[in-house]
Amino acid sequence: MIPHDQPLAIGSLLFEGIDQIDLTGPFEVFGRLPNSTVRLYSPDGAPVRDVRGLRLVPDGAIAEAPQLDVLHVPGGAGQEALMRNEAVLGWLRDQAAGARMVFSVCTGALLLGAAGLLRGRRATTYWSAVDLLPHFGATPVDERVVIDGDWVFAAGVTAGIDGALRLAAILRGEEAARAIQLMMQYAPEPPFDSGSPHTASPETVAAVRAASATLIARREATARAIAQEFGIVTGA
């Protein structure tokens, strides 16, 4: 735990086509952490729209960000467009090198993978992309939140809240995290047991996969190409 009298700078990557819950779910947690600031940084400092059209305004460009204590990398369909963006990948490498903690949500993990930062790590990501993690040198773990040293990985979308609460406990102590959970009244009772491919019906899983088939194929092609460049052999 980091003493409460030591301020924490938390920064989130913001980009076109982000899934806003990957960003705003953890923001709800981080914004309540004692003695902490949370800022959003887009590649060029310009506003973006999330994958459903919600307009989001950053605090600045990634080049303007100070060294962060916590680097938060969300995901979403727009992640794919940044997989070859060296300005963003270089920023992730630089920030991760100096951060106390790195936190990814959903396919934000793939961006960290493209930056060459997942080799030898245990990680998770969105359920339809978790099988791509070995292409970046990571060991996939089928859990909602995975902690590997000072890195925290959350699976898809809403798992970002769980991961952020786990991170809050690491940063400011379990009691602080419990208080934040209560302030958020975070006690989910989903109406259906279909929040995971393991519990959803085969028909539901197939329908969701079919709806995202083009993006899934594009992500796989990119991951395979990057693995080849990295010299990583996955056997898949």
Side-chain angles (χ1 to χ4, degrees):
M1 185 177 79
I2 299 171
H4 288 207
D5 61 356
Q6 294 185 22
L8 290 172
I10 302 171
S12 303
L13 177 63
L14 186 63
F15 54 88
E16 195 74 24
I18 194 174
D19 192 317
Q20 61 88 10
I21 299 181
D22 291 3
L23 173 75
T24 57
F27 186 93
E28 284 291 320
V29 176
F30 297 150
R32 291 175 166 85
L33 273 178
N35 198 12
S36 302
T37 58
V38 189
R39 298 289 182 265
L40 313 181
Y41 300 98
S42 69
D44 58 2
V48 305
R49 290 193 182 275
D50 94 316
V51 68
R52 302 299 175 191
L54 180 67
R55 190 170 187 265
L56 300 163
V57 181
D59 293 289
I62 55 175
E64 300 168 338
Q67 174 59 60
L68 302 169
D69 294 303
V70 178
L71 171 63
H72 169 210
V73 186
Q79 147 270 323
E80 179 63 22
L82 298 181
M83 294 291 282
R84 301 290 191 174
N85 186 318
E86 187 52 40
V88 171
L89 300 181
W91 182 75
L92 293 176
R93 286 190 287 266
D94 290 344
Q95 285 289 346
R100 294 175 184 262
M101 302 289 299
V102 177
F103 175 47
S104 78
V105 181
C106 198
T107 54
L110 303 186
L111 280 172
L112 293 170
L117 297 171
L118 294 190
R119 291 174 185 256
R121 294 198 175 277
R122 299 168 66 255
T124 193
T125 186
Y126 189 65
W127 64 269
S128 68
V130 72
D131 60 323
L132 302 180
L133 290 173
H135 293 296
F136 305 105
T139 299
V141 181
D142 187 15
E143 294 178 7
R144 191 163 170 85
V145 178
V146 174
I147 299 177
D148 184 281
D150 54 3
W151 288 52
V152 178
F153 300 90
V157 196
T158 57
I161 299 175
D162 298 43
L165 286 168
R166 295 279 295 275
L167 182 54
I170 294 171
L171 293 171
R172 293 305 196 200
E174 187 173 304
E175 186 52 40
R178 287 178 179 275
I180 290 170
Q181 182 176 356
L182 178 58
M183 283 187 278
M184 294 171 59
Q185 198 170 347
Y186 180 58
E189 296 179 0
F192 310 110
D193 191 18
S194 59
S196 160
H198 303 301
T199 58
S201 71
E203 294 78 12
T204 299
V205 174
V208 174
R209 280 193 177 276
S212 304
T214 300
L215 178 58
I216 290 172
R218 191 160 64 244
R219 282 177 171 155
E220 180 175 3
T222 300
R224 288 183 178 276
I226 292 174
Q228 186 174 21
E229 293 166 14
F230 284 171
I232 295 173
V233 179
T234 64

